[in-house]
């Protein structure tokens, strides 16, 4: 029905940068809020950044000033620019989106996750 596909994860040294991408596809009318969440091994999944359909962003305190979330509604895509990466940023990063699938229904979907590893 609908799908979120992530890309851009990888291995980077401390202080480096990565840009994550999330592309939505399938049958839906529109996408409301989107966001990035991350989960380290043995840890709970935490919100990193959220962006509304109008482009209003909210960030976790731990990434403010270093990460930038953005979206391209025409492409049904969302991005996370990560700068000044730290080892504590190491986690699986998940794309999340709220889809309007028809005139009255909305559903929350998650991507498969992409690994980000920051070495010392």
């Amino acid at each position: 029905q609908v799908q979120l596909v992530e890309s851009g994860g990888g291995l980077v040294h401390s202080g480096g940068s990565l840009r994550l991408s999330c592309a939505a596809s399938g049958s839906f009318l529109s996408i409301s809020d989107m966001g990035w969440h991350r989960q380290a091994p043995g840890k709970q999944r935490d919100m990193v950044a959220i962006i509304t359909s109008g482009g209003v962003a909210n960030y976790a305190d731990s990434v403010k000033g270093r990460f930038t979330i953005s979206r391209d509604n025409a492409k049904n895509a969302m991005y996370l620019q990560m700068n000044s990466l730290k080892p504590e940023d190491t986690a699986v990063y998940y794309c999340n989106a709220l889809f309007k699938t028809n005139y009255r229904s909305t559903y929350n979907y998650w991507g498969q996750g992409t690994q980000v590893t920051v070495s010392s």
Side-chain angles (χ1 to χ4, degrees), residues 1 8 30 35 43 49 51 53 58 70 74 80 90 96 102 106 114:
Q1 187 176 351
S30 62
K43 301 290 184 64
I51 186 167
S53 60
N58 184 43
S70 61
L80 185 68
T90 296
N96 179 65
N102 56 48
T106 58
T114 184

Side-chain angles (χ1 to χ4, degrees), residues 28-75:
F28 58 89
L29 272 58
S30 62
I31 304 174
S32 184
D33 294 351
M34 302 184 76
W36 292 96
H37 303 244
R38 66 187 181 187
Q39 186 170 22
K43 301 290 184 64
Q44 185 172 241
R45 187 175 299 184
D46 295 321
M47 185 274 288
V48 176
I50 296 173
I51 186 167
T52 70
S53 60
V56 178
N58 184 43
Y59 299 91
D61 288 340
S62 59
V63 306
K64 285 182 179 178
R66 300 189 298 121
F67 291 9
T68 302
I69 188 171
S70 61
R71 63 190 289 172
D72 187 335
N73 292 334
K75 296 181 179 179

Side-chain angles (χ1 to χ4, degrees), residues 103-117:
Y103 73 97
R104 64 181 180 86
S105 300
T106 58
Y107 293 94
N108 187 259
Y109 285 85
W110 293 87
Q112 81 286 353
T114 184
Q115 177 70 48
V116 171
T117 302

